[in-house]
Amino acid sequence: MSRQLKIFWTGMLIYLVSFFLVAIRNLDHQSTPLYGFMCAYGAFFYPITVIRFSEGSGPGAFVLFSLLVAGLINPVFILTAFLHLTGQYPRAFALLRIVVLLMFPFCWYLFLLARIFPREGHFLWIIGILLALCSHWLAKLWE
């Protein structure tokens, strides 16, 4: 197995493990911390629920858009990682890699707005994604 593939799979393993660690917690410390899989599920399905059932009483448009973008990070990342692994459509991979990286600040905006701070699961999630998407560059650094 090449060095690039080892880095890629290490990133994917870290990404997977991050879903079973505490990802976020409120600043008041009285609420239950949320694990990565809970955050991923909520961020993906909450905007759909709000749009479907709210009648103007839901969150603002930009907050909802931010939540929608944050919820789409995982599916877009999985697609991007698949394209990277197969080597097909290198231009699409290059574009989607940038898109994934540009989606992170939407999470951080929501953290700031909701007075939430990221925990170890969130940081490992980002590290795993970065390792997987930048594995070819990292492998070249060690040559």
Side-chain angles (χ1 to χ4, degrees):
M1 184 183 307
S2 70
R3 181 172 286 153
Q4 188 258 333
L5 276 177
K6 288 178 185 175
I7 295 169
F8 174 83
W9 287 114
T10 302
M12 293 302 287
L13 179 63
I14 291 170
Y15 171 77
L16 181 65
V17 167
S18 74
F19 285 97
F20 300 99
L21 298 174
V22 175
I24 60 171
R25 184 166 187 129
N26 281 354
L27 288 175
D28 62 11
H29 294 288
Q30 294 176 358
S31 64
T32 306
L34 294 177
Y35 292 90
F37 69 90
M38 299 163 104
C39 293
Y41 179 84
F44 187 75
F45 287 108
Y46 181 74
I48 297 167
T49 306
V50 169
I51 291 169
R52 189 172 181 193
F53 295 111
S54 73
E55 296 172 2
S57 62
F62 189 72
V63 172
L64 195 57
F65 176 74
S66 297
L67 195 55
L68 182 65
V69 170
L72 289 174
I73 292 174
N74 289 313
V76 173
F77 166 68
I78 296 297
L79 173 65
T80 308
F82 177 76
L83 291 176
H84 184 41
L85 187 61
T86 61
Q88 295 180 351
Y89 308 106
R91 284 183 158 181
F93 164 70
L95 176 66
L96 287 173
R97 178 179 51 208
I98 293 168
V99 168
V100 169
L101 297 178
L102 291 175
M103 293 169 99
F104 287 139
F106 289 94
C107 291
W108 304 330
Y109 169 72
L110 293 168
F111 291 168
L112 184 64
L113 195 65
R115 297 180 43 85
I116 293 172
F117 68 91
R119 293 274 308 266
E120 57 276 5
H122 179 73
F123 294 114
L124 285 177
W125 178 70
I126 291 174
I127 290 169
I129 288 173
L130 291 175
L131 280 174
L133 294 183
C134 301
S135 59
H136 60 288
W137 289 336
L138 294 170
K140 286 182 182 179
L141 286 176
W142 283 318
E143 284 182 357

